[in-house]
Amino acid sequence: MISIKTTNTLYAPEKVDVGIVHIGLGAFHRAHQAVYIEKNLNRNQGGNWGICAVNIRSNSQLVDELKANGCRYHIAEYQDSQNVELREINSIRDALFAGTDKEPLFEKLVSPKTKIVTLTVTEKGYYLAPADKTLRQDDPSIQHDIQNPTTPKTAPGILVEALYRRKELNLPPFTILSCDNMPNNGSLTRRAVCELAAHRSAEFAQWIEDNVAFPSSMVDRIVPAMSDDSRERLQKELNCHDQNAVMCEAFSQWVVEDNFPQGRPDWEHDGVQMVKDVHPFETMKLRLLNGSHSLLAYVGLAAKYKTVAQAVADERFASLIRHYMSFEAAPTLDLPQEVQVQTYIESLVSRFANDSLQHQLSQIAMDGSQKIPQRWLSGAEELLANKGSNKAADKADLTATALGVAAWLFYVRGEDLEGHQHKVDDPMAQTLSELHGRCADPESLVREALKLNDIFSTKLSQNETFSHAVLNAYQTIISSGVAECLSFNSNDTAHFGG
């Protein structure tokens, strides 16, 4: 028998004003930021911090369905398969699809009531090169926004145009808060916006630098993509007949840099950690949680697993991610004082084992070219750079990271060992497919892959030990299967030469 707790809205939604515009209306936003705002509105019996949530490129159906239901929906927070809280959410007060006509969105963005703009547009939505984090000015969408600044297609272009209009109207700028899994996401968002704004004028770009706040944040909650099966499950288990409902884990964390010149909700009373420096939290989460997720995704898919819980239930995979987190990721971290790293690692393994979520590895595997530089490769570079001067780095190895790169390289060829094909959902999918097409042997494939400077730095591509480890793992995968690579003991401290 499932234990179900229900939590309902305690305020009058129709009396709430919109103070936040959110770009990127999807499952994660509905299960994370919108929940914190719901708690805030409940506690304050309403207020001025309702959300207008917007999709700018796809999923107009979700917008239509939400609006048809007054933007009311539910989230099911699973502690495990037997304990769940069903929570009613009304914090989204308006929903827009701005795929073609963006003027209703600009009306919201230019409104004096809008104090904060938040984003969950994924790493690729900022149009920054993965390796050096400069704006991809040759991208067709960015080129469009440069040439047609008043009718932009991208999130950075929309922010630039909205800020330009506010400046012309002598309105104070809104605060821009990225909620995407990127290290230094505030600084990176600032860079994307300012580099694009400079095409209008250097003076305008400087005005943004001087006047617009870009606080960083770290978000953490496992939210699988919804499917017909998961909706059917909510109907059967919880009697929840809500097409817009979202399933997620019970755990949730949000760490936010406290820099909001135009004001903000009193989030600190709703579980949000307001801090001066987010960097230690975001790096910890990216390299431990997200890094392990990506490792499970590519290695797990090569082993024919479909979900995170299935993979981590295999003790070989649990040992793999414990080894990766303990000996490859943790030595690169400057952890917050209150964090005990081994306790955090075990909490992650426990969260991954939550089989109530059915978190698909294929979902995590998307956009790998954008994810693995910050999840794996930046930490790998630090380890190699610190060898000889840092005891933790000297004891560390990059065996699991090299296996992850090899498994990713195997995944992006779009075909398993039996010849079954799968879609590779990645901005660099064509480049990666062409790479596999022209490289006839593993040696040339790995060598040429590591030369992709949009992903790999010169430090890594020219490190012979790392290259050799990737090649060995790739050759093993294609000749014997990924299981032959899984001999990790989480208590080992195998060495990796620099």
Side-chain angles (χ1 to χ4, degrees), residues 278-298:
V278 173
H279 182 71
F281 294 93
E282 64 187 5
T283 308
M284 175 186 73
K285 189 252 181 173
L286 276 164
R287 294 184 183 171
L288 295 179
L289 188 153
N290 297 120
S292 294
H293 256 170
S294 288
L295 194 56
L296 286 172
Y298 300 118

Side-chain angles (χ1 to χ4, degrees), residues 157-449:
I158 289 167
L159 294 173
V160 168
E161 173 64 9
L163 289 170
Y164 188 86
R165 294 188 187 193
R166 290 183 78 107
K167 180 177 182 294
E168 291 297 294
L169 292 170
N170 203 30
L171 291 172
F174 43 66
T175 296
I176 299 174
L177 176 64
S178 170
C179 300
D180 280 297
N181 284 319
M182 302 187 300
N184 304 307
N185 54 13
S187 298
L188 291 181
T189 308
R190 177 192 294 273
R191 184 167 192 172
V193 169
C194 288
E195 287 190 17
L196 186 55
H199 287 274
R200 297 185 84 148
S201 76
E203 181 270 335
F204 176 47
Q206 190 61 51
W207 179 83
I208 294 176
E209 285 277 6
D210 294 341
N211 294 281
V212 182
F214 292 84
S216 287
S217 75
M218 183 273 267
V219 297
D220 188 1
R221 177 168 248 186
I222 296 173
V223 185
M226 292 297 291
S227 65
D228 290 340
D229 287 343
S230 53
R231 293 185 186 92
E232 183 178 348
R233 180 179 166 196
L234 290 182
Q235 293 175 18
K236 289 182 178 179
E237 291 184 355
L238 310 182
N239 196 29
C240 177
H241 298 268
D242 181 354
Q243 281 295 108
N244 302 311
V246 181
M247 293 173 59
C248 60
E249 66 173 336
F251 178 90
S252 184
Q253 186 179 19
W254 196 8
V255 185
V256 180
E257 179 187 349
D258 200 354
N259 181 19
F260 293 81
Q262 305 306 319
R264 62 166 176 82
D266 53 347
W267 276 318
E268 60 270 31
H269 300 298
D270 307 302
V272 182
Q273 295 169 257
M274 304 301 301
V275 300
K276 289 184 179 180
D277 184 9
V278 173
H279 182 71
F281 294 93
E282 64 187 5
T283 308
M284 175 186 73
K285 189 252 181 173
L286 276 164
R287 294 184 183 171
L288 295 179
L289 188 153
N290 297 120
S292 294
H293 256 170
S294 288
L295 194 56
L296 286 172
Y298 300 118
V299 181
L301 287 168
K304 305 296 186 182
Y305 287 120
K306 292 186 177 181
T307 71
V308 172
Q310 287 173 352
V312 84
D314 185 331
E315 186 52 41
R316 297 172 301 173
F317 282 82
S319 294
L320 168 65
I321 60 170
R322 284 191 176 99
H323 176 97
Y324 162 76
M325 288 191 280
S326 297
F327 301 118
E328 302 187 28
T332 71
L333 300 176
D334 180 16
L335 293 169
Q337 284 188 343
E338 64 269 30
V339 175
Q340 297 295 320
V341 65
Q342 287 303 321
T343 301
Y344 183 73
I345 288 171
E346 289 307 313
S347 74
L348 292 180
V349 176
S350 177
R351 288 169 62 191
F352 294 163
N354 186 346
D355 62 359
S356 64
L357 298 179
Q358 299 297 305
H359 195 186
Q360 299 294 309
L361 295 175
S362 57
Q363 178 189 353
I364 301 167
M366 293 169 59
D367 301 334
S369 67
Q370 313 296 297
K371 294 175 178 177
I372 64 175
Q374 59 239 16
R375 296 186 180 192
W376 298 341
L377 305 181
S378 59
E381 285 185 46
E382 289 183 29
L383 276 182
L384 293 174
N386 290 332
K387 282 190 175 295
S389 61
N390 182 297
K391 289 183 179 180
D394 288 343
K395 292 181 179 180
D397 72 87
L398 291 175
T399 312
T401 301
L403 171 58
V405 172
W408 167 76
L409 192 55
F410 176 72
Y411 173 79
V412 298
R413 78 177 192 169
E415 183 177 85
D416 65 16
L417 292 176
E418 287 76 42
H420 301 125
Q421 296 184 342
H422 59 261
K423 180 184 178 183
V424 177
D425 195 338
D426 191 289
M428 294 182 66
Q430 183 175 345
T431 298
L432 296 167
S433 176
E434 292 171 352
L435 180 72
H436 275 277
R438 71 173 183 268
C439 295
D441 59 274
E443 290 86 352
S444 62
L445 176 68
V446 170
R447 182 176 63 251
E448 294 304 309

